Amino acid sequence: MTTSESGDASGTSETEETTPSFAVVLDVLPHGRADDDRPRYKKSPLAYGLGEQDFRLVELRLGDDSDVSIGDRVVVEPSAERESVEEVRDIDYDALSNTALSELEYVVDEILTEHESRFVDFYNDAQPITIRLHQLNLLPGIGKKLRNNILDQRKRGPFESFADLEDRISGLHNPKDILAERIMSELRDDDLKYKAFVRREE
């Protein structure tokens, strides 16, 4: 399990201007983890979240007076712009609560929907990883034929939406769901050799 603290480990100095990164709250534990044996008054409220930009799974230590609910967006970086969150810690998929696990697929789908152009651009911009493996081949159900069809079509003009992808690529069904399936695989399996969407642990 990862225990990297990210109070100041965002890779940018506090003086640099940065665009805040957000996490969507998957579950809130007002009295902390059940396996924490300390007296209740010593335990901080916690939340589990999923990073919007990098699909980073995090445990958030909240302030005692925080008003945070499932589905809320909270700033995780830079630390100076956090309001409700006092500390951020990277965690593994297996560390999530049952509620967080049940919310995860819905939140992944919401992120894909709300940031559609960014994820359509994965189809526009995906590049070879090795001589024999292309980023597009990381997506479930996309073999050589479908990959080549996508590459041929994008030379004629960038894809504008998931609907445009589906219209122009014969055999490509539900391109958003294909991305969601890959993202869930990357979240569940830390040992995947290639991760296109989920931030690798440092």
Side-chain angles (χ1 to χ4, degrees):
M1 178 169 163
T2 311
T3 57
S4 60
E5 302 293 342
S6 57
D8 297 310
S10 59
T12 55
S13 71
E14 292 294 319
T15 56
E16 289 181 29
E17 288 190 15
T18 58
T19 302
S21 63
F22 290 86
V24 181
V25 175
L26 302 169
D27 190 17
V28 179
L29 308 177
H31 305 298
R33 289 188 300 272
D35 60 0
D36 186 341
D37 294 330
R38 292 178 300 166
R40 179 176 290 187
Y41 72 90
K42 288 188 175 181
K43 296 194 288 187
S44 299
L46 298 175
Y48 294 116
L50 178 69
E52 283 185 337
Q53 186 67 29
D54 51 15
F55 295 101
R56 169 189 177 197
L57 289 172
V58 290
E59 181 184 87
L60 311 169
R61 183 163 63 82
L62 305 174
D64 290 335
D65 57 350
S66 298
D67 182 19
V68 173
S69 302
I70 292 173
D72 287 353
R73 296 170 74 243
V74 294
V75 175
V76 290
E77 302 295 351
S79 56
E81 295 196 27
R82 297 175 190 159
E83 294 181 1
S84 303
V85 177
E86 294 188 352
E87 186 178 32
V88 179
R89 187 168 71 97
D90 290 337
I91 58 171
D92 295 331
Y93 178 87
D94 292 340
L96 294 174
S97 65
N98 288 334
T99 298
L101 289 170
S102 67
E103 289 290 319
L104 189 56
E105 289 190 45
Y106 297 107
V107 171
V108 168
D109 184 77
E110 287 175 2
I111 292 172
L112 289 169
T113 299
E114 291 175 12
H115 302 276
E116 180 174 355
S117 61
R118 173 181 145 206
F119 294 102
V120 169
D121 279 344
F122 177 79
Y123 289 95
N124 285 323
D125 301 332
Q127 297 296 319
I129 298 171
T130 67
I131 294 173
R132 298 184 180 183
L133 181 66
H134 197 282
Q135 282 184 313
L136 290 169
N137 295 128
L138 299 178
L139 302 180
I142 295 189
K144 183 177 179 180
K145 182 177 179 182
L146 205 49
R147 176 200 69 200
N148 289 342
N149 196 356
I150 294 170
L151 295 176
D152 288 343
Q153 280 292 326
R154 77 184 193 184
K155 289 176 184 175
R156 304 180 186 185
F159 302 110
E160 302 292 338
S161 65
F162 289 131
D164 185 33
L165 268 159
E166 202 161 357
D167 288 343
R168 290 169 57 186
I169 307 299
S170 176
L172 182 64
H173 306 295
N174 300 314
K176 183 181 77 169
D177 292 347
I178 290 172
L179 294 179
E181 187 177 341
R182 176 65 194 188
I183 290 165
M184 290 300 300
S185 294
E186 293 186 10
L187 287 168
R188 292 188 185 107
D189 188 356
D190 281 340
D191 296 327
L192 280 178
K193 185 173 183 180
Y194 300 108
K195 291 197 173 186
F197 302 99
V198 176
R199 191 183 78 169
R200 279 192 174 278
E201 299 168 3
E202 296 179 3

